[in-house]
Amino acid sequence: MPPARTAFPEDRAIIHNRVQAIVEGIAATYGVTVDFIWEDSAPAVINDPRWLALVASTAESLGLTVTGPNATLGGEDFSYYLDRAPGAFFRIGVGNKGRAMHGPTFYVKLDALADGADLLATSVVNTLAALGSD
């Protein structure tokens, strides 16, 4: 069974249980048994509101445009970090319209990389200052 991607953790269990019930029901209808194997994919990326606000305000202070948050079902391994510690995942806009990010015509917007590095470094400084004042 391919993994189900969900935006909310509680939906994972609902989908798992429902799919399992359907599979087992079909098997019972035909008098057969099944070995139901379910592999979870990366959990949803759930940003901590405090750190998301810090990154957003840092971006704005650097003159960067802040959008979102936009829920997507893209898999992201960063979610495993956020399961263990509060943090924020952000995108820096390296894509080019009309050029698929996962295709042979993709090229990175180099200015976005520089802005992203500045945002990351400044967010670290601001995070350390915020933690020092706690």
Side-chain angles (χ1 to χ4, degrees):
M1 189 88 224
R5 293 181 177 173
T6 63
F8 304 100
E10 57 274 11
D11 291 344
R12 293 173 76 119
I14 293 169
I15 292 171
H16 170 274
N17 294 340
R18 188 67 186 121
V19 170
Q20 184 174 9
I22 291 168
V23 168
E24 290 172 350
I26 293 170
T29 299
Y30 290 98
V32 298
T33 60
V34 295
D35 292 324
F36 184 77
I37 299 171
W38 183 272
E39 295 182 19
D40 282 324
S41 62
V45 173
I46 300 175
N47 287 323
D48 180 271
R50 175 186 183 187
W51 301 118
L52 181 59
L54 182 138
V55 171
S57 66
T58 301
E60 289 170 349
S61 76
L62 296 172
L64 302 175
T65 302
V66 176
T67 62
N70 300 316
T72 72
L73 294 181
E76 180 52 59
D77 292 344
F78 192 78
S79 61
Y80 292 110
Y81 294 114
L82 294 178
D83 274 353
R84 297 190 182 274
F89 178 84
F90 57 91
R91 299 174 193 257
I92 59 172
V94 297
N96 284 285
K97 292 185 186 217
R99 295 179 179 259
M101 290 192 71
H102 298 285
T105 62
F106 175 73
Y107 65 91
V108 174
K109 286 185 188 174
L110 296 178
D111 56 334
L113 289 179
D115 289 342
D118 193 14
L119 175 58
L120 185 58
T122 307
S123 293
V124 168
V125 170
N126 292 347
T127 297
L128 292 172
L131 290 173
S133 67
D134 283 352

